[in-house]
């Protein structure tokens, strides 16, 4: 089974701190994604990456950056955390969209990281 | 991507079939119907997807109407562990980066 592992389930940080959220997948997927989930707003895409060192902005990239130095690892960085970044953060991976028939286009999600910024 | 409409909540008795409807009247010809679910405090989980034919896997069945304007996800024998929010999504094949989750349907399986 595909496994997407997020480094921390719960974090509490203070305003202005730098925060790293790590995500690792073990199925050699090309695509990786970072979402945040807030009540009433559904899942919103922050950034995605379709290859090592490649990244593209999603719908809400402001205040975030990402790093993908290795294929299996995709990190989300909050340079200076703010209270409005308190949220559930979800990492996901998928096979390359233009791949063979067995590429279902489905996303595999991690368990989520609940970040509280005080 | 086409918008979907789902009922906000449904109940189902344990052991019975759960039928979750979804309307997607503006779906275009190259858009697939995907279903995901999210159990409380976990990440979303892919269930099934289809284009125009009915589909079945080990988790569920997907019935898509002939005009493709609506679909139904069927959990044949619901268990308490199926209690979750179920999301119906339409998107173009392989465009996972456009995947967006709306409010979904909160399914509660009752003992």
């Amino acid at each position: 089974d595909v496994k997407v592992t997020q480094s921390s389930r719960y974090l509490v940080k203070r305003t202005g701190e730098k925060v790293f959220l790590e995500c690792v997948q073990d199925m050699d997927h090309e695509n990786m994604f970072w979402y945040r989930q807030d009540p009433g707003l559904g899942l919103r895409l922050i950034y995605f990456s379709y290859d090592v060192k490649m990244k593209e902005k999603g719908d809400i990239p402001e205040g975030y950056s990402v790093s993908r130095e290795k294929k299996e690892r995709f990190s989300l960085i909050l340079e200076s955390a703010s209270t409005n970044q308190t949220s559930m953060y979800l990492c996901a991976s998928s096979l390359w969209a233009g791949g063979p028939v067995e590429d279902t286009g489905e996303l595999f999600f991690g368990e989520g990281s609940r970040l509280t910024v005080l | 991507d086409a918008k979907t409409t789902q009922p906000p909540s449904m109940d189902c008795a344990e052991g019975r079939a759960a039928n979750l409807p979804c309307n997607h009247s503006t779906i275009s010809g190259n858009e697939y119907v995907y279903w995901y679910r999210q159990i409380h405090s976990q990440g979303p989980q892919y269930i099934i997807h289809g284009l125009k034919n009915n589909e079945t896997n080990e988790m569920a069945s997907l019935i898509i109407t002939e005009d493709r304007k609506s679909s139904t996800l069927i959990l044949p024998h619901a268990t308490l562990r199926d209690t979750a929010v179920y999301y119906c999504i339409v998107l173009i094949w392989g465009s996972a980066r456009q995947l967006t989750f709306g409010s979904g349907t909160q399914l509660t399986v009752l003992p």
Side-chain angles (χ1 to χ4, degrees):
Chain A
D1 284 347
V2 176
K3 192 169 178 71
V4 178
T5 304
Q6 295 184 228
S7 55
S8 304
R9 287 298 306 274
Y10 301 95
L11 302 95
V12 179
K13 298 292 182 181
R14 296 203 174 274
T15 302
E17 280 192 78
K18 190 169 186 175
V19 182
F20 291 88
L21 299 178
E22 303 285 339
C23 176
V24 178
Q25 51 95 2
D26 65 359
M27 282 300 290
D28 204 35
H29 284 172
E30 287 81 4
N31 298 333
M32 295 189 75
F33 306 80
W34 274 106
Y35 291 87
R36 63 177 284 177
Q37 185 173 30
D38 301 287
L41 296 177
L43 264 71
R44 293 179 291 167
L45 181 63
I46 304 171
Y47 268 97
F48 65 92
S49 169
Y50 50 89
D51 201 352
V52 175
K53 296 190 184 296
M54 305 300 289
K55 61 185 180 183
E56 286 195 28
K57 294 179 181 179
D59 299 321
I60 51 164
E62 296 78 19
Y64 304 93
S65 62
V66 291
S67 172
R68 188 145 181 224
E69 297 296 319
K70 294 184 178 181
K71 190 175 185 179
E72 68 271 16
R73 187 180 298 270
F74 192 35
S75 302
L76 180 69
I77 304 154
L78 288 66
E79 293 289 343
S80 178
S82 63
T83 55
N84 62 12
Q85 292 178 310
T86 291
S87 185
M88 168 70 87
Y89 289 88
L90 290 158
C91 174
S93 72
S94 73
L95 288 167
W96 179 49
V101 173
E102 60 265 28
D103 173 11
T104 64
E106 68 198 66
L107 263 63
F108 296 87
F109 284 87
E111 293 288 291
S113 298
R114 185 166 293 282
L115 172 67
T116 301
V117 182
L118 302 175
Chain B
D1 291 335
K3 182 178 178 180
T4 62
T5 304
Q6 298 178 254
S9 64
M10 292 181 64
D11 292 340
C12 176
E14 188 177 18
R16 305 296 293 269
N19 298 287
L20 293 96
C22 179
N23 287 318
H24 32 79
S25 58
T26 59
I27 192 170
S28 59
N30 62 347
E31 287 181 314
Y32 285 68
V33 180
Y34 282 76
W35 282 84
Y36 280 77
R37 74 179 183 184
Q38 187 170 22
I39 296 170
H40 183 62
S41 296
Q42 296 183 21
Q45 176 190 24
Y46 164 83
I47 302 173
I48 198 167
H49 76 283
L51 182 63
K52 54 184 178 180
N53 296 321
N54 297 339
E55 302 288 344
T56 296
N57 63 20
E58 65 278 5
M59 289 183 67
S61 294
L62 174 60
I63 308 298
I64 303 173
T65 58
E66 193 169 340
D67 64 7
R68 302 210 323 124
K69 293 185 177 183
S70 65
S71 60
T72 301
L73 178 75
I74 301 172
L75 308 179
H77 306 286
T79 70
L80 299 179
R81 289 176 295 179
D82 292 321
T83 292
V85 178
Y86 287 77
Y87 298 97
C88 170
I89 299 152
V90 293
L91 78 163
I92 296 169
W93 173 267
S95 63
R97 64 195 66 178
Q98 273 86 50
L99 192 78
T100 57
F101 290 71
S103 301
T105 297
Q106 170 66 58
L107 174 70
T108 302
V109 180
L110 304 171

